[in-house]
Amino acid sequence: MHPCLYARDEAVNAVTPEFARRFATVKARYFSRDPRLWPVFQDPGFARLNAFRSLHLPPEARLAAWPDGAARMADLTENMPVPAEMRDPAQPLEELLFAAALSKDWENPSCVENVITMSADPAIYGAQMGVLANPNLVYSEYAGVAEDLEKKVVRQIARLAGYDPQRATGIFTQGGTFCNLYGYLLGLRKSLPEAKHKGLGHYQDYRFVNSQGGHYSNITNLSLLGVDIENKTIRIKVGDNNDIDLADLERTLTACFALKHVVPTIMLTMGTTDTFGVDWVKPVCELRDRLCERFEIPVKPHIHVDAAIGWSMIFFLEYDFERNPLGINEATLAGIRRNTERFAQLRYADSFTVDFQKWGYVPYTSSLVMIKNADDLRAMENDPENFSYFERDIQGQTHLQSTIECSRGASGLFGAYAALNYMGVEGYQITLAHSLQNANYFRFRLGQLANVKLVAQENQGPSVGFKLYNPEWVADPEEEFAFELARSPDEAYRQRLQRNTAFHRDAFKRRGKVGLYTNWVEAIARSEYDAGGKYSYIAGEKAVFMNPACSRREIDLFVAKLMG
Ligand SMILES: *Cc1c(COP(=O)(O)O)cnc(C)c1O
């Protein structure tokens, strides 16, 4: 089945009654802030917050709708000292509640901005449990049993991804960015161990390798490590679907090895942020192994996969696509199948990034770096004399000496555990399939409009990127987009691209927030490479469908507005 099946007709996108029934159960149980199911929401402050946010007010109406909203806002911006006197616990801190209630309301069905979503009820409950207990994961004595919970989640994710749960390990850390930092550092410590004391490039020249489709953390982390980005980082080209170009990777690695440059880490991506490009991992591993053998490379490059958003697809690796027990519609079933063929290769990665805080519906921050072979962490161990704070006998039992950070909070871990074990694989499958059915329905509706170009059409993630053209100038958006892709030094090219972008940007600004709160992105697509290998970015609009509260109603409203 072709991944673009969604474009065929309305029928392949219809929500089946079985699926609708299942999704209604999931939504009522896990995404409704129901104080009868989750008594934690009975707290008077939480109840007021939830009552306000459940009004789903448009962004510009929220401040005025809060009692004394303007005064509260003024209070927040005032320059005031910490009060000199104590306050009675019975007295509510109105400004605290105000700040919480009026922070971004991801529960609003129209919220489809970027890869962010409301948290699941069980995840909130779990995270609060973690906050209440307040273990510190830095070290067993400060963590107590929480450390065993961390290990249990790691084994559960290892099994889902196809890692050996006995050999694998993992660390809950500060965001997906840090997970990727671990990926780089693992490679660095394994292949250039002296760098720990001497810095980079002291004994041997090196090159880090990542993808041009990668998240910006793929670059900022290297800068953090003191890597020469301009001269010692190689960004591999990507194909039309934003996945890594294997031929370019092969040329690059061959050149590096021939010149005796160490390649500490190859950073891949499964699920690029804006376009959900998914790299194949197995061919990259095979390529690495083949070239390492040929050039007699003693330490193989570490392959880290940035699966910060994409990881959620591992809930479908065992799904019975033939029987389709959840009644997922045809268009989305085909899309998920396309994804699982790729995500089945996640197990070949030496480590990968999991953001529970994204498509895992867990409150911030909840990120986990998974490491296939626990022995890899040995290379990360810092010298024992740095750890004089800690009881010597217990040190060896934990990741203490190998972690980047010292204190590690546990609310993300507790939230993740609760979400995984209340919702189970089935609950996740249903929630994710709902997101993707919305995304495909949106793609289908956009595809019917005469002046819209849908970007990265084959990619079957939650993000939908598109470009809007002026029908008076553009008869065929596909042709116009092809023109834009063919990067040219001509002034006429630049002007036409600029005119199109300005038209879309202006329409986006004037439209206001109706139905879906979409985003403007400066790089919804990249041009083709010119003769010098250069490319440029093409701006556009995107909606990301992770929100369980979002329905076809919001999509229809938005599309109706687009049609004017
Ligand atoms: C969000 C994202 C990151 C960064 O994760 P944070 O948790 O925001 O630090 C890295 N890679 C990809 C692909 C992402 O989408």
Side-chain angles (χ1 to χ4, degrees), residues 115 175-177 180 215 217 269 271 273 306 308-309 355 357-358 367:
V115 287
T177 299
N180 291 340
H215 182 260
S217 62
T269 306
T273 313
D306 179 358
I309 349 174
D355 260 4
Q357 65 201 24
K358 285 183 176 161
S367 302

Side-chain angles (χ1 to χ4, degrees), residues 278-346:
V278 186
D279 290 336
W280 294 106
V281 186
K282 188 166 178 248
V284 175
C285 277
E286 288 168 354
L287 173 67
R288 171 196 65 178
D289 294 350
R290 177 158 56 76
L291 293 179
C292 283
E293 196 164 317
R294 178 171 145 209
F295 289 96
E296 300 178 357
I297 305 296
V299 182
K300 291 180 185 174
H302 183 90
I303 297 179
H304 181 85
V305 171
D306 179 358
I309 349 174
W311 73 276
S312 307
M313 280 295 119
I314 63 179
F315 288 111
F316 285 102
L317 291 185
E318 306 263 294
Y319 190 68
D320 184 344
F321 287 93
E322 295 307 320
R323 238 173 31 84
N324 186 21
L326 298 179
I328 298 167
N329 69 30
E330 259 185 278
T332 299
L333 198 67
I336 296 174
R337 209 164 193 173
R338 174 192 193 264
N339 285 337
T340 53
E341 281 165 18
R342 294 178 183 230
F343 280 91
Q345 299 191 352
L346 183 56

Side-chain angles (χ1 to χ4, degrees), residues 474-517:
V474 174
D476 182 347
E478 294 294 331
E479 243 171 54
E480 189 67 8
F481 188 67
F483 170 83
E484 293 177 347
L485 286 183
R487 190 181 134 98
S488 147
D490 296 349
E491 184 55 20
Y493 168 84
R494 203 186 54 81
Q495 279 184 10
R496 192 155 139 191
L497 181 60
Q498 213 167 41
R499 185 165 89 145
N500 284 339
T501 302
F503 169 84
H504 186 178
R505 172 88 180 151
D506 186 49
F508 169 77
K509 289 292 235 189
R510 269 186 300 116
R511 194 190 313 136
K513 303 272 186 197
V514 180
L516 300 173
Y517 304 159

